[in-house]
């Protein structure tokens, strides 16, 4: 499998969205092609381990090829397990944030404070902002960007599974 195939598979497992949403057959936006290099570069840079992105994708591939087959839930639990290093789990969580928000999260830890820190983020591009999965979860669209026709707000939204691709 290619890095992109593993990236898409891992993204499906971690976000809970169907592959048809993460990697549609007709993909005019192709946001995954923007996300993969950003995720790879920033995970390697922030963790200080240039091999970490490949380790994560290889781990995903091994789990996805395991026999008997694991469910997406089981793979996700193993990817985010305490048995993984803190940097490994953080990189997986950053991938989730990236897909949902279209932005790169930077965790600013502040031990001893009531919140333990904060997460700052930087939107990658206007394309990543409008492609964020959060809009699908909210059954909404970003300000200034809509494929809906005038008056759509007068009707109840379609079922959430129509947005996520999951039944």
């Amino acid at each position: 499998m290619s890095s992109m195939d593993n990236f898409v598979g891992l993204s499906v497992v971690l976000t809970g969205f169907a592959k048809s949403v993460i990697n549609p057959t007709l993909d005019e936006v192709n946001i995954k092609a923007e996300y993969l290099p950003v995720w790879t570069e920033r995970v390697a840079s922030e963790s200080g381990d240039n091999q970490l992105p490949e380790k994560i994708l290889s781990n995903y591939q091994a789990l996805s090829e395991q026999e008997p087959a694991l469910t997406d839930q089981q793979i996700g639990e193993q990817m985010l397990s305490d048995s993984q290093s803190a940097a490994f789990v953080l990189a997986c969580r950053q991938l989730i944030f990236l897909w949902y928000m279209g932005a790169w999260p930077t965790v600013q830890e502040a031990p001893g404070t009531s919140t333990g820190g904060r997460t700052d983020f930087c939107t990658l591009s206007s394309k990543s902002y409008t492609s964020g999965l959060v809009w699908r979860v909210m059954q909404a669209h970003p300000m200034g960007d809509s494929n809906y026709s005038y008056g759509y707000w007068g009707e109840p939204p379609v079922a959430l599974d129509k947005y996520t691709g999951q039944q």
Side-chain angles (χ1 to χ4, degrees):
M1 275 209 244
S2 72
S3 290
M4 182 58 79
D5 291 335
N6 285 324
F7 181 75
V8 166
L10 177 61
S11 298
V12 167
V13 165
L14 293 178
T15 64
F17 276 78
K19 184 177 181 182
S20 62
V21 172
I22 300 294
N23 186 28
T25 304
L26 297 173
D27 194 355
E28 295 174 12
V29 177
N30 198 22
I31 198 67
K32 66 189 176 298
E34 183 175 338
Y35 288 172
L36 176 58
V38 168
W39 179 78
T40 301
E41 176 188 316
R42 294 194 180 174
V43 165
S45 172
E46 291 178 12
S47 70
D49 181 355
N50 290 333
Q51 300 303 313
L52 183 57
E54 188 55 42
K55 288 177 194 172
I56 293 169
L57 295 177
S58 294
N59 189 309
Y60 164 77
Q61 182 175 351
L63 290 170
S64 69
E65 293 173 348
Q66 191 170 315
E67 291 295 332
L70 298 174
T71 65
D72 284 355
Q73 179 72 31
Q74 291 169 318
I75 294 171
E77 287 172 359
Q78 289 194 36
M79 295 299 293
L80 297 170
S81 166
D82 289 341
S83 66
Q84 307 292 356
S85 72
F88 185 106
V89 172
L90 177 60
C92 289
R93 289 181 175 164
Q94 287 171 313
L95 181 59
I96 296 167
F97 193 99
L98 179 60
W99 274 104
Y100 273 84
M101 302 302 293
W104 184 257
T106 302
V107 178
Q108 306 292 333
E109 295 197 31
T113 65
S114 61
T115 61
R118 68 172 196 255
T119 300
D120 296 326
F121 63 91
C122 176
T123 303
L124 303 184
S125 65
S126 59
K127 185 169 77 168
S128 71
Y129 172 74
T130 59
S131 297
L133 297 177
V134 68
W135 302 113
R136 288 177 174 259
V137 172
M138 291 189 305
Q139 297 172 297
H141 61 84
M143 237 182 333
D145 184 72
S146 175
N147 292 328
Y148 301 113
S149 58
Y150 182 79
Y152 74 89
W153 54 85
E155 300 295 323
V158 298
L160 184 58
D161 64 355
K162 300 293 184 210
Y163 286 90
T164 65
Q166 299 287 22
Q167 299 297 329

